Amino acid sequence: MKWIFFIPLILPFYSFAQKYDFNWPFGYGYPDFHLDSVWGISTIRFDSDDGNPYLTEDKHLKIALVSSNVSQSDKNGVPLFYFNGDYILGGGNTLMTNGDNMSDPPFFTTHQAAVSLPLPNDDHRHILLHKDITVFPSLQAVASFRLLYSIIEFPDQGGYGQMEKKRVQILADTMHPGHMTATRHANGRDWWLLSKKQFSDSFYVFLITPDAVTLSHIQQIGSYNHPAEDFGEAKFSMNGKFYCHTMASAVKDSTTFVHLFEFDRCNGLLSNETVFTLPESTLSSGAAFSPDSRFLYLSLKYRLYQVDLHSSKPDTVCIDWWDGTFYQNGTYFCRTYWGPLINGPDGKIYAANFSCSTQYLNVIEEPNQPGLLCRPRQKGLIMPSQHVASPHFPNYRLGPVDGSVCDSLGIDNIPWAWWRYDQDTAHYGTLYFKDLTAYEPAWWIWDFGDGQGSTEQHPTHAYAAPGTYEVCLIAGNNNGADTLCRTIELATVSANAPARPDVNIAVMPNPFKTDFTLQWSGSYLPARARLRLFDLAGRLVHMQQVYSGWNTIELPHLPLGCYFWEVDDAGVQLARGVTMKQ
C-alpha cells in the first residue's frame, strides 16, 4: 500500500537556504611550509546530494590559516571568502581588492579573534568582526585593544566581492584576544556579539542590526579571578540559551575554569553562573554544545568531558582520553589530542588539534546521546593535508524566540528541511535517517519510496530489496513546513546489470604515511563493497570491506612504495587508482 500523508492545508510551505557554514577549510601555516610535501588546504563540504559531508583538497588555495580561521559562504553554500586575521582571499583564490593589511603590524592572531555574519536583511553583504592583537614578549602575554568591523559586499551571486568598509573601529579597550562569538537576537534578525574584558569579570555585549554595530552594554558578572587567561573557547548553545566560557592557561599543571551562564536572547544579559574546574590546562582546548543543547562538551588535550545540563546537579564526566597516538610532522611528533570543538551541519562535533599540525580530526558521532553513547572517535577522519587551525562559526540556523516580548518583526520559525543517512554495516538494506531540520520543527513525515513511511524524527528503515528509491522528508510546525527529497540507489549493480551508479570514490591523502581515508560519496549504497590493494608485482596485500561515507584504512605494516587499489561491489568494479606510502 502506498504511504499516504494528510497535511493541514493551512500550513504554507517555504524553503530558505541557510548554508553559510557549509565549507570548512583547515590550514596550518604558510604555503612554503618546508615540512609538508603535500601542501594543500583540506576542506569539508556539507552541501552534498546525499546530505553527508565530503572532503576536497585545494593545492591552489594559498592562505595561511594559522589560528584565526574564518570561512564565509553565501546562503546557498557557495564559498565567498576566507580570512586569517591578516588578509582576505576572495573568489578565484585571489587577494580581495583592498583585502590586505587587515591588522596592525606586527601581525598576530589567535583562535576566535574574528567572526563573520550575514548582515541582517541583506543577502549581498557580510560583516566581518575582528580584533587587533598586541603581543607583550616580556610578559609572555597577548591582548586586544581594538575591536573593528569590515563590510564585504557581493553585488553578484558568487562574485569576487569588494570591501565596502574596512577596519571601522567599534571599541578601544582591553579585551581578551580571542573568545569572541555571536548568537541570533530573539527577534530572529539581529545578532548579539560577546567579547570578554581581559583579566576582568566584565563582558562587552554588542548588538548588530541592519543599520549599525553598537555597544549595547557592559555586564559585570561571574567569579573571574584567574591568574592567566591564555586559551580556551567561548560558545553559545545551539538554541542560544546558554553561554560557555573556558579559561585555560599555558602554565603546566594549572587549572582550567569553565564558566557556564544562561543567556537572554531578548536583552543580551547573562545570568545564573555555574563554574566547573578541571585539573589540567592546555593550548589545545575547546567547548561545544550538542545540537539539542542538552550536553556541553569540554576538550582538554588528553581528555574529553561531557556535562548533562538537564541534570539537577550538572557535573563534568570524562568520556574519552587520548589513546597515545603520535603523528610525525617532519622531525617533530604531535599527539593527536582533542582540541577546539566545532558543530557540524551534519549533527556531529569535530575537533582539531590546536597545538601542532596533524592530518587527523577527532569526531563525536552522536553528541545528543549521554556518556559513551555519544560515540567519541579519535582519528575519526584523516584529512588530505596537515592542519592546526579550525574554523569558527555561530549557529546561522537559529530563528526568533516565538511569543517573546522581542518577537516584534513578524518573523516566524518556519522549518528548513535537511537530513542525511547512514548505512548499517551488517545489513546493507537498513538505513539510519538523521533529521537535521532547523527552525524548531514539531513534526516529521518520512516517505521511504517503497510504500512505507514514518513520523519519527530519526527513523530506521529496512528495505526489502535492492532498487532506486526517492526518500522525502516533510518537516513542519504551526508556522509552516518544508520538504527535502533525495534519491538512494541501493545495491543496484550486479554482474548482469553493471551500469555505473552515482558514486564518487577517492583515496586521501595521497601519498599517505600510515593510514588513509577512502571517501565514498553519492547516492549509491553498496551491498558488500570491498577495497583491494595490490603491490607493483600484482600481489594482493590488503582487502577490507568499505561503506558509504568515510572509511579509515590503517596500513602501518606495509612497506613504503607504490600500490594499486580498486573498489568493487557485487563483482562490478566501481573505482580504481594508485596511491603511495612514504
Side-chain angles (χ1 to χ4, degrees):
M1 176 182 292
K2 177 68 176 176
W3 186 269
I4 302 175
F5 304 117
F6 296 93
I7 303 172
L9 297 179
I10 61 171
L11 296 183
F13 283 71
Y14 297 88
S15 180
F16 299 105
Q18 300 288 334
K19 303 175 182 179
Y20 299 108
D21 58 344
F22 269 45
N23 294 281
W24 290 14
F26 289 83
Y28 56 88
Y30 302 94
D32 59 348
F33 187 66
H34 65 281
L35 295 179
D36 187 6
S37 61
V38 289
W39 162 265
I41 295 293
S42 299
T43 301
I44 302 179
R45 304 190 186 277
F46 292 89
D47 191 16
S48 62
D49 292 336
D50 59 5
N52 288 302
Y54 64 99
L55 277 169
T56 63
E57 182 185 20
D58 192 341
K59 292 184 177 296
H60 302 288
L61 184 57
K62 303 292 188 181
I63 183 169
L65 296 171
V66 183
S67 55
S68 185
N69 182 344
V70 172
S71 170
Q72 183 68 67
S73 301
D74 68 14
K75 65 179 183 179
N76 297 311
V78 178
L80 294 178
F81 65 86
Y82 306 93
F83 176 62
N84 64 357
D86 188 29
Y87 59 90
I88 299 176
L89 208 63
N93 293 344
T94 59
L95 181 68
M96 182 177 291
T97 302
N98 203 27
D100 57 349
N101 300 320
M102 293 292 291
S103 64
D104 275 346
F107 167 64
F108 185 86
T109 188
T110 189
H111 186 53
Q112 290 191 304
V115 64
S116 177
L117 304 170
L119 203 63
N121 283 356
D122 195 330
D123 287 341
H124 300 287
R125 289 176 174 86
H126 298 263
I127 181 167
L128 177 66
L129 300 117
H130 48 110
K131 295 178 178 180
D132 275 345
I133 298 174
T134 302
V135 182
F136 300 94
S138 60
L139 301 176
Q140 294 185 336
V142 295
S144 174
F145 296 102
R146 290 208 300 167
L147 176 63
L148 313 164
Y149 80 87
S150 301
I151 301 293
I152 303 171
E153 181 185 16
F154 287 83
D156 300 317
Q157 196 75 10
Y160 278 65
Q162 59 192 28
M163 300 288 296
E164 182 179 296
K165 294 182 179 180
K166 181 176 179 179
R167 289 178 53 80
V168 180
Q169 181 172 295
I170 307 170
L171 177 71
D173 205 342
T174 307
M175 293 166 283
H176 189 283
H179 295 181
M180 185 168 62
T181 190
T183 193
R184 184 76 72 176
H185 189 283
N187 62 19
R189 181 196 68 184
D190 303 333
W191 291 91
W192 295 109
L193 180 83
L194 266 66
S195 183
K196 186 180 174 297
K197 184 176 177 64
Q198 183 81 317
F199 304 115
S200 169
D201 56 1
S202 296
F203 289 85
Y204 299 101
V205 183
F206 302 91
L207 181 61
I208 302 166
T209 69
D211 303 315
V213 182
T214 58
L215 177 61
S216 171
H217 55 273
I218 301 174
Q219 183 177 6
Q220 186 176 18
I221 186 173
S223 51
Y224 287 89
N225 54 2
H226 317 317
E229 297 185 357
D230 299 328
F231 307 110
E233 279 194 297
K235 294 290 181 67
F236 281 102
S237 61
M238 301 303 284
N239 59 12
K241 295 181 179 179
F242 296 98
Y243 173 81
C244 175
H245 191 269
T246 66
M247 305 300 297
S249 171
V251 179
K252 184 179 180 181
D253 299 327
S254 60
T255 300
T256 292
F257 296 88
V258 181
H259 299 261
L260 177 67
F261 300 91
E262 294 182 22
F263 184 74
D264 191 323
R265 290 172 54 203
C266 187
N267 56 31
L269 292 176
L270 300 165
S271 62
N272 299 329
E273 180 193 34
T274 302
V275 180
F276 306 100
T277 58
L278 298 171
E280 57 182 312
S281 193
T282 174
L283 167 66
S284 190
S285 61
F289 291 86
S290 59
D292 64 3
S293 298
R294 172 179 174 177
F295 298 106
L296 169 64
Y297 289 91
L298 304 166
S299 59
L300 285 175
K301 190 166 68 173
Y302 292 106
R303 296 176 178 86
L304 177 69
Y305 297 88
Q306 185 190 70
V307 181
D308 187 350
L309 303 180
H310 286 186
S311 172
S312 58
K313 294 183 178 180
D315 200 1
T316 56
V317 177
C318 182
I319 57 172
D320 196 48
W321 47 91
W322 177 53
D323 64 6
T325 300
F326 287 85
Y327 175 86
Q328 185 174 357
N329 186 342
T331 59
Y332 185 72
F333 287 85
C334 297
R335 296 174 174 86
T336 55
Y337 292 145
W338 287 93
L341 301 174
I342 327 163
N343 285 92
D346 60 347
K348 301 180 182 182
I349 295 177
Y350 297 82
N353 187 351
F354 191 68
S355 56
C356 66
S357 297
T358 77
Q359 287 180 262
Y360 293 112
L361 281 184
N362 296 338
V363 184
I364 304 174
E365 298 280 353
E366 299 287 346
N368 285 343
Q369 299 299 318
L372 294 179
L373 293 177
C374 74
R375 293 175 56 205
R377 192 155 64 97
Q378 296 180 49
K379 306 183 297 296
L381 178 60
I382 308 170
M383 305 286 277
S385 54
Q386 298 180 59
H387 62 268
V388 70
S390 54
H392 164 57
F393 303 100
N395 181 13
Y396 296 112
R397 292 172 292 279
L398 183 60
V401 180
D402 288 331
S404 71
V405 295
C406 290
D407 184 17
S408 57
L409 301 180
I411 300 173
D412 293 323
N413 279 300
I414 301 175
W416 175 76
W418 192 255
W419 56 272
R420 65 175 181 84
Y421 54 84
D422 293 313
Q423 185 181 24
D424 189 275
T425 57
H427 304 282
Y428 73 88
T430 299
L431 271 59
Y432 304 97
F433 294 94
K434 176 72 69 173
D435 168 61
L436 303 167
T437 300
Y439 301 109
E440 301 185 9
W443 49 263
W444 301 264
I445 300 176
W446 294 84
D447 182 347
F448 299 127
D450 62 350
Q452 302 296 314
S454 174
T455 56
E456 296 179 15
Q457 183 179 8
H458 309 294
T460 299
H461 182 64
Y463 287 92
T468 300
Y469 303 97
E470 185 180 43
V471 180
C472 296
L473 167 64
I474 305 172
N477 59 23
N478 290 334
N479 298 317
D482 189 27
T483 302
L484 177 64
C485 298
R486 302 186 190 278
T487 298
I488 293 176
E489 298 178 70
L490 181 62
T492 54
V493 301
S494 66
N496 298 324
R500 181 171 175 81
D502 176 22
V503 61
N504 180 31
I505 298 172
V507 165
M508 59 187 71
N510 189 8
F512 68 96
K513 293 184 178 181
T514 58
D515 316 322
F516 64 77
T517 294
L518 185 144
Q519 177 175 266
W520 183 302
S521 58
S523 64
Y524 181 72
L525 300 178
R528 190 173 177 82
R530 61 180 179 175
L531 164 73
R532 293 191 295 173
L533 203 67
F534 303 89
D535 64 16
L536 291 179
R539 294 171 297 202
L540 180 66
V541 295
H542 183 79
M543 184 167 63
Q544 179 177 332
Q545 188 170 357
V546 292
Y547 309 92
S548 173
W550 292 324
N551 300 264
T552 298
I553 314 299
E554 299 179 347
L555 302 167
H557 60 284
L558 287 186
L560 305 182
C562 188
Y563 296 90
F564 300 98
W565 62 268
E566 63 179 36
V567 175
D568 70 87
D569 186 37
V572 177
Q573 187 181 91
L574 300 179
R576 63 180 179 177
V578 180
T579 188
M580 177 177 291
K581 181 177 181 180
Q582 68 175 22

